[in-house]
Amino acid sequence: MASKVAGNAKRNGRRPLLGERLLELRKRHNWTLKDVSRRTGVSVATLSKVERNKMSLTYDKMLQVAEGLKLTLAELVAPPPVRPTARRSIARRKDGLLQLTPNYEYIYLSPDLSNKRMIPILTRIKTRTIEKFGPLIRHSGEEFIYVLEGEIMVHTDHYEPTRIKAGEGVYIDSTMGHAFLSVSKKDALVLGICSSEDPHHADKLRSLFAKRQRK
C-alpha cells in the first residue's frame, strides 16, 4: 500500500510529501504509529496528521524523528540509493521532498542519495519580519544561499542585517544564529546548499536538533 502511494505520486508528476515517505518507511519496517511515537517522542496524533499530509514537521522535529528511527535525514525522506557507487542524482523539482513550515517552504533536492556532504534545498521564503520568524536558527556546518527570485534580508549573529537581491548570494557559518526573510512583494525563492566535510553531516544535524527540540 505504501509503495503504491509513493508510486502514484511519482506517476502523477506530483512531489512526494514527507507524510508519504514516513508511511512508506513505517509499513516497510512493520512499525505501528505507537512504535514510531515511542521511538521518536513525537505523539501518535502528530504522526498521523503528518502521514495524512494534514501537517508537516519543522526541520528540527524531522531530525528528531530520524534519530529515533536510527536513520539519517536522507534515509528518512527517501529509500537508500539502489547503487552505492558512481553516484548521480538528477534534481528535478517534482521529485524533491516537500516540507512546509511557518517560515519556509522547503524542497529537498536529490533525496535519493544518502550520506551527502552537500544538502541542496530549494526554499520559498514566506516570513517578512524577524518578530514573526522567531528565534534564529543554528546548526553545524556551513551554507550558501543564492537568491533566484525576489530579495531577502539576512539576519545573523555578529553582523548587521544585509539585503541580498536576485542573482546574489551569501555564504555563512551555520553555527551562527541566522534567519532569512523575504523583503519583496512576492515570496523570495532561494537555492541553499548546507555543507560539511563530514559525510555524516546529516547525522550530526539530526542529533543536534533532536537535543535542541527536547529542551
Side-chain angles (χ1 to χ4, degrees), residues 105-116:
E105 176 184 301
Y106 296 111
I107 298 177
Y108 292 86
L109 303 174
S110 299
D112 54 310
L113 295 181
S114 61
N115 294 328
K116 295 191 291 288

Side-chain angles (χ1 to χ4, degrees), residues 34-48:
K34 287 184 178 180
D35 290 333
V36 176
S37 177
R38 185 169 55 253
R39 290 167 179 259
T40 64
V42 178
S43 71
V44 169
T46 295
L47 292 169
S48 177

Side-chain angles (χ1 to χ4, degrees), residues 12-181:
N12 292 337
R14 178 173 58 80
R15 290 189 297 273
L17 297 173
L18 175 60
E20 292 166 357
R21 297 291 203 195
L22 182 59
L23 176 62
E24 183 179 20
L25 282 168
R26 189 169 64 79
K27 296 299 183 182
R28 188 194 313 162
H29 293 281
N30 294 316
W31 291 329
T32 65
L33 283 172
K34 287 184 178 180
D35 290 333
V36 176
S37 177
R38 185 169 55 253
R39 290 167 179 259
T40 64
V42 178
S43 71
V44 169
T46 295
L47 292 169
S48 177
K49 289 179 181 179
V50 170
E51 286 194 357
R52 290 181 288 120
N53 298 317
K54 298 297 184 181
M55 67 176 293
S56 188
L57 297 175
T58 60
Y59 185 56
D60 51 348
K61 184 70 76 171
M62 189 163 65
L63 290 170
Q64 179 182 335
V65 170
E67 180 183 51
L69 299 181
K70 308 299 183 185
L71 301 170
T72 64
L73 183 59
E75 289 168 339
L76 172 65
V77 302
V82 175
R83 295 179 180 178
T85 60
R87 304 202 307 170
R88 189 189 83 162
S89 175
I90 304 300
R92 304 192 191 284
R93 189 183 301 192
K94 66 181 179 65
D95 295 329
L97 174 73
L98 177 66
Q99 180 195 9
L100 302 177
T101 72
N103 294 318
Y104 301 130
E105 176 184 301
Y106 296 111
I107 298 177
Y108 292 86
L109 303 174
S110 299
D112 54 310
L113 295 181
S114 61
N115 294 328
K116 295 191 291 288
R117 297 194 182 191
M118 297 186 299
I119 304 175
I121 309 171
L122 192 63
T123 304
R124 181 74 63 179
I125 300 175
K126 300 180 290 183
T127 303
R128 286 170 166 75
T129 67
I130 195 64
E131 291 78 16
K132 186 175 180 180
F133 185 92
L136 299 182
I137 295 172
R138 295 174 179 81
H139 55 84
S140 61
E142 300 176 328
E143 61 191 273
F144 178 74
I145 302 295
Y146 186 82
V147 181
L148 300 174
E149 298 176 5
E151 297 183 30
I152 67 172
M153 188 68 74
V154 179
H155 290 257
T156 65
D157 293 334
H158 312 303
Y159 295 91
E160 291 295 324
T162 304
R163 195 180 185 104
I164 306 293
K165 301 178 181 179
E168 300 177 341
V170 58
Y171 191 111
I172 68 169
D173 176 353
S174 303
T175 62
M176 290 194 304
H178 55 279
F180 306 115
L181 308 177

